[in-house]
Amino acid sequence: FFIIVPKLLIAGFKKQKDALVDQKCLFSRAKGYLRQSLFLISPKLFSQEKFFQWLDFRGERETFNKNLNIK
């Protein structure tokens, strides 16, 4: 997160669409790993059923590209 978030912000300020998509994908993946780790530590405390049903790392690039109107 300490590497991804600054790069995400810089890409946003510089309006670098490719870099922005890349960083959003990396951020989404890191968030998923963090949530999975918390779930493994304490499943009752960090129940993630809705998140894991929604989660699709393979489709994240298409999702972000649609949001940025990139083809």
Side-chain angles (χ1 to χ4, degrees):
F1 284 105
F2 296 114
I3 295 171
I4 297 169
V5 172
K7 286 184 176 183
L8 179 65
L9 294 173
I10 290 169
F13 287 127
K14 290 185 176 181
K15 298 183 181 179
Q16 299 170 332
K17 291 184 179 181
D18 291 341
L20 188 60
V21 170
D22 290 342
Q23 294 307 314
K24 282 186 173 186
C25 290
L26 289 173
F27 183 77
S28 177
R29 187 172 297 256
K31 184 174 72 171
Y33 286 131
L34 176 64
R35 292 180 77 149
Q36 175 66 23
S37 299
L38 293 173
F39 174 75
L40 291 173
I41 291 169
S42 179
K44 290 182 182 179
L45 187 59
F46 298 105
S47 178
Q48 303 290 324
E49 290 179 29
K50 288 182 183 178
F51 176 74
F52 292 134
Q53 289 173 355
W54 169 82
L55 191 61
D56 178 19
F57 283 137
R58 298 189 190 281
E60 66 192 3
R61 186 165 295 276
E62 288 82 18
T63 300
F64 291 127
N65 282 341
K66 287 178 188 174
N67 292 340
L68 293 174
N69 295 322
I70 297 174
K71 294 181 181 180

